[in-house]
Amino acid sequence: MNVIPAAEQPLRSLWKRHRVYRRRFILAVTMSTINKVADVVPELLIGAAVDVVVRGDASFVGEILGVESRYSQLGWLAAINVVVWIIESASQYVADVLWRGLAQGVEHDLRVEAYDHAQHLDMSWHESRPSGSTLATLNDDVNQLERFLDIGAPAIIQTFLNVVLVGAVFALSSWTLLLFAFTPIPVIVVGSLVFQRRLEPLYDRVREAVSDLSSALSANLAGIATIKAFTAEDRERDRIAAVSTAYRTANTDAIRSSAAFVPLVRMAILAGFTCTLLLGGWAVLRGDLEVGLYSVLVFMTQRLLWPLTDVATVLDLYQRGRASTQRILTLLAVPITVPAGTTVLAKPVQGRIELRGVRAGYADGPDVIHDLDLVVPAGETHAIVGTTGAGKSTLLRLVLRFDDPRAGTIELDGTDIRDLDWDSLRGSMAYVAQDVYMFAGTIADNIAYGRPDATRAEIEAAAEAAAARDFIDATADGFDSWVGERGVTLSGGQRQRLALARALLREPSVLVLDEATSAVDNETEAAIQRSLRVATAGCTALVVAHRLSTVRHAHRIWVLDAGRVAESGTHDDLIAADGAYAALWRVQTGELALDEPSA
């Protein structure tokens, strides 16, 4: 797995990726700047008002405006204050809209980009990690980033602007007070950096813990029937409680460290405020500082330092956002090891499949398939049989290009499937898996999943061909009946028939079936076989079957043993050869039992 280089900060990488939002970001910063300037002006107006009351006609306002009456001077200040408040309120509204729009936009784009990348990753990647871990990245991590962009980023900018603007006022008023009032800031900055380094591994652990919790919850909800069947509710509750406790502990450790920063900030604020109060007051008593300006500096000191109490909260948001962004970008950095090709097959695809010297396995494990040679002429039905672990499903995965072989080639219509685009390869195929998946929706929606533009008549015809029409008509709403998530409202056999209808509706050039009738009864299986012989008359079919009776009419049967072709031929040829296939046939038909000596 690729990771983001250590030198590349996650948020900096985010800035580079989402250039489309830079204009909005600049506008948001501009409005926050206007808002902060307008937010500081009322303190200046308070000082000016105090100056008017104390000095009268000789006040700063009187000299600037050329107004002698103190009542008029205060009236002008009040009018200016109204304008400033209107500007502050309007800029705050616009800034909030811009920041929240920015946060929502980045959240949306990043979630869609991460999901799209995840669904293009090869099957082995998905199978090697809990689905809850990916879900936590796509959901919780993206939400954490959105919260930082919505709250944390504006707070950082506002704090920076506050320091600059208040510092300018202090610099124009008294360099001595500037020095003492700003003394706490380096302490707070250094403390922030120290706490940031301390918080970073803590929030990494928080993200790992929430991923573990999400994975556990997702797995348990998917396996709820097994939990109930084995009366494991109490045991699973305790297991979830343990995982949740680990998450709570990780969060508590991070919060405790983050919260410890607040007292440090408060003590620094107390020191700065006390310096302004005493030193500024003594300057006024000596006549070195005007009373109005002293009032401004006292208010400004609080305005400068008090927002720094939120540094801990902002730091918390930053670390959570940073850790989440790192996980999202790490997901996006995972390479697609089974990329689409660029070659487009001429339509219609004939469906000839040829495997030459194919060797394949999983991850770093041993080979599952060894130097396999196999040809399926266009329009024929070929079956793959063998004992458990012989490599039957692995072969189908290679044909569908869920995985690539370690050696050898697989061709469709004479072209290496690694060179084909997905529309030419998978777009010309239909697949019925052993573990059928149904999406939440209607029966008609699920049948039409591979061909959304199909008419109702075509959907019904596919259901008829898959021997599913009878049970569909028996439901309350027929084809409009709602199918629960994963098809939980249906039996295993019903799900298989709907999956078969979904495949047949696509009118594929190649039909790939992996134990497609294993969950149906003998009568339904016979009906499906009759329909399949008609439905597959114009296409190539590659069928993995455990029950040999379902494939006895295949044009050729390939018998796999430990990843190699042990024998091949028609059903009658293989029975006559009296090899591995004949032995399997005798076991399934009960002939072996008749040959065994009685006890």
Side-chain angles (χ1 to χ4, degrees):
M1 177 183 295
N2 289 359
V3 297
I4 304 301
E8 186 79 64
Q9 291 297 321
L11 297 178
R12 189 183 305 159
S13 298
L14 206 62
W15 169 260
K16 293 180 180 179
R17 296 180 72 92
H18 294 273
R19 297 176 182 272
V20 68
Y21 291 104
R22 289 186 178 182
R23 183 179 178 184
R24 179 184 284 267
F25 175 80
I26 292 171
L27 288 174
V29 171
T30 301
M31 296 310 300
S32 292
T33 302
I34 294 172
N35 176 255
K36 180 50 64 177
V37 171
D39 189 43
V40 170
V41 170
E43 275 77 6
L44 298 176
L45 295 178
I46 291 174
V50 171
D51 189 54
V52 168
V53 172
V54 173
R55 298 175 62 193
D57 297 342
S59 68
F60 176 76
V61 175
E63 294 177 358
I64 293 295
L65 298 177
V67 178
E68 295 183 359
S69 170
R70 284 188 286 183
Y71 290 96
S72 297
Q73 292 176 25
L74 291 174
W76 273 102
L77 290 175
I80 295 171
N81 187 59
V82 170
V83 174
V84 169
W85 276 81
I86 291 174
I87 293 173
E88 181 185 9
S89 300
S91 61
Q92 182 68 58
Y93 169 77
V94 176
D96 285 346
V97 170
L98 289 171
W99 281 115
R100 290 174 184 175
L102 173 68
Q104 292 294 324
V106 172
E107 175 191 35
H108 168 77
D109 289 356
L110 202 57
R111 177 179 284 121
V112 172
E113 182 185 3
Y115 166 76
D116 187 55
H117 182 74
Q119 70 176 0
H120 281 90
L121 293 175
D122 56 282
M123 290 295 295
S124 60
W125 182 86
H126 288 280
E127 293 164 351
S128 66
R129 57 185 274 140
S131 60
S133 177
T134 305
L135 181 62
T137 299
L138 296 176
N139 189 39
D140 192 64
D141 282 323
V142 175
N143 290 340
Q144 288 288 353
L145 174 60
E146 183 268 339
R147 189 162 178 258
F148 168 71
L149 293 175
D150 185 14
I151 301 173
I156 291 173
I157 292 172
Q158 291 272 356
T159 300
F160 172 76
L161 291 172
N162 193 62
V163 171
V164 172
L165 293 172
V166 174
V169 173
F170 268 86
L172 293 173
S173 305
S174 171
W175 283 97
T176 302
L177 290 179
L178 172 67
L179 176 63
F180 283 100
F182 274 63
T183 298
I185 294 180
V187 177
I188 294 172
V189 171
V190 172
S192 300
L193 295 175
V194 172
F195 271 84
Q196 178 181 333
R197 286 194 292 270
R198 175 177 173 82
L199 288 173
E200 186 172 344
L202 295 179
Y203 279 117
D204 285 342
R205 286 200 288 271
V206 170
R207 302 311 313 137
E208 292 172 2
V210 75
S211 174
D212 292 342
L213 179 59
S214 180
S215 297
L217 289 171
S218 177
N220 278 27
L221 291 175
I224 193 67
T226 303
I227 292 173
K228 288 179 175 294
F230 286 89
T231 60
E233 291 91 342
D234 291 344
R235 185 168 72 250
E236 290 302 327
R237 180 202 60 216
D238 293 342
R239 190 169 71 86
I240 293 297
V243 179
S244 182
T245 298
Y247 172 57
R248 183 180 65 179
T249 301
N251 240 330
T252 300
D253 291 342
I255 292 170
R256 185 181 293 114
S257 294
S258 177
F261 185 56
V262 176
L264 172 65
V265 175
R266 287 183 178 273
M267 292 303 101
I269 290 172
L270 175 61
F273 190 77
T274 302
C275 287
T276 303
L277 191 66
L278 289 177
L279 297 177
W282 292 338
V284 171
L285 293 177
R286 292 194 306 268
D288 298 335
L289 190 66
E290 295 294 340
V291 175
L293 192 53
Y294 172 60
S295 302
V296 170
L297 296 179
V298 170
F299 280 114
M300 283 292 183
T301 303
Q302 184 169 353
R303 170 70 67 182
L304 168 68
L305 299 176
W306 189 252
L308 296 178
T309 57
D310 293 331
V311 168
T313 300
V314 174
L315 192 62
D316 181 87
L317 289 173
Y318 171 76
Q319 286 298 345
R320 289 176 183 268
R322 185 180 183 280
S324 293
T325 303
Q326 179 72 58
R327 286 165 59 88
I328 296 167
L329 295 178
T330 298
L331 169 60
L332 288 170
V334 177
I336 297 174
T337 57
V338 185
T342 57
T343 302
V344 178
L345 286 179
K347 302 291 184 178
V349 175
Q350 299 303 307
R352 174 184 170 85
I353 300 171
E354 186 172 355
L355 287 77
R356 293 297 183 195
V358 171
R359 182 169 58 84
Y362 297 99
D364 298 326
D367 286 349
V368 176
I369 290 180
H370 309 268
D371 299 320
L372 188 69
D373 293 324
L374 186 150
V375 178
V376 183
E380 291 192 3
T381 297
H382 283 216
I384 311 296
V385 303
T387 57
T388 300
K392 304 185 296 295
S393 295
T394 301
L395 189 150
L396 295 191
R397 287 169 62 101
L398 294 172
V399 171
L400 289 161
R401 209 177 166 223
F402 289 161
D403 299 303
D404 279 335
R406 293 173 176 173
T409 60
I410 303 173
E411 296 180 353
L412 177 62
D413 287 358
T415 303
D416 192 324
I417 63 173
R418 285 173 290 201
D419 297 331
L420 296 177
D421 67 356
W422 292 133
D423 184 61
S424 293
L425 179 61
R426 294 175 188 163
S428 62
M429 296 183 176
Y431 174 52
V432 180
Q434 188 172 359
D435 183 18
V436 174
Y437 190 91
M438 293 284 121
F439 296 91
T442 65
I443 288 177
D445 291 338
N446 272 280
I447 294 177
Y449 185 77
R451 191 180 156 198
D453 60 343
T455 65
R456 177 55 69 95
E458 289 171 329
I459 293 172
E460 292 177 359
E464 189 79 41
R469 186 63 186 264
D470 290 344
F471 92 79
I472 294 175
D473 289 340
T475 60
D477 298 315
F479 283 86
D480 295 318
S481 295
W482 190 260
V483 175
E485 187 176 0
R486 296 180 179 269
V488 294
T489 61
L490 303 172
S491 69
Q494 289 171 338
R495 289 197 296 272
Q496 275 195 329
R497 280 177 277 175
L498 290 185
L500 188 57
R502 180 163 63 194
L504 295 177
L505 178 63
R506 203 170 190 187
E507 298 180 350
S509 298
V510 178
L511 182 62
V512 180
L513 306 177
D514 189 0
E515 301 281 5
T517 59
S518 61
V520 300
D521 55 53
N522 291 332
E523 183 178 351
T524 302
E525 179 191 357
I528 291 175
Q529 291 303 318
R530 288 193 296 271
S531 297
L532 277 178
R533 282 196 289 273
V534 176
T536 60
C539 77
T540 304
L542 190 60
V543 184
V544 163
H546 175 70
R547 286 191 290 191
L548 302 184
S549 59
T550 64
V551 297
R552 63 181 300 176
H553 299 294
H555 292 91
R556 178 171 289 273
I557 299 171
W558 300 82
V559 184
L560 296 188
D561 182 24
R564 293 181 171 86
V565 176
E567 55 184 349
S568 69
T570 65
H571 171 79
D572 293 337
D573 291 341
L574 293 173
I575 291 296
D578 197 26
Y581 180 86
L584 288 172
W585 178 261
R586 286 194 294 270
V587 169
Q588 292 191 15
T589 57
E591 294 178 19
L592 181 63
L594 296 176
D595 295 339
E596 291 176 349
S598 57

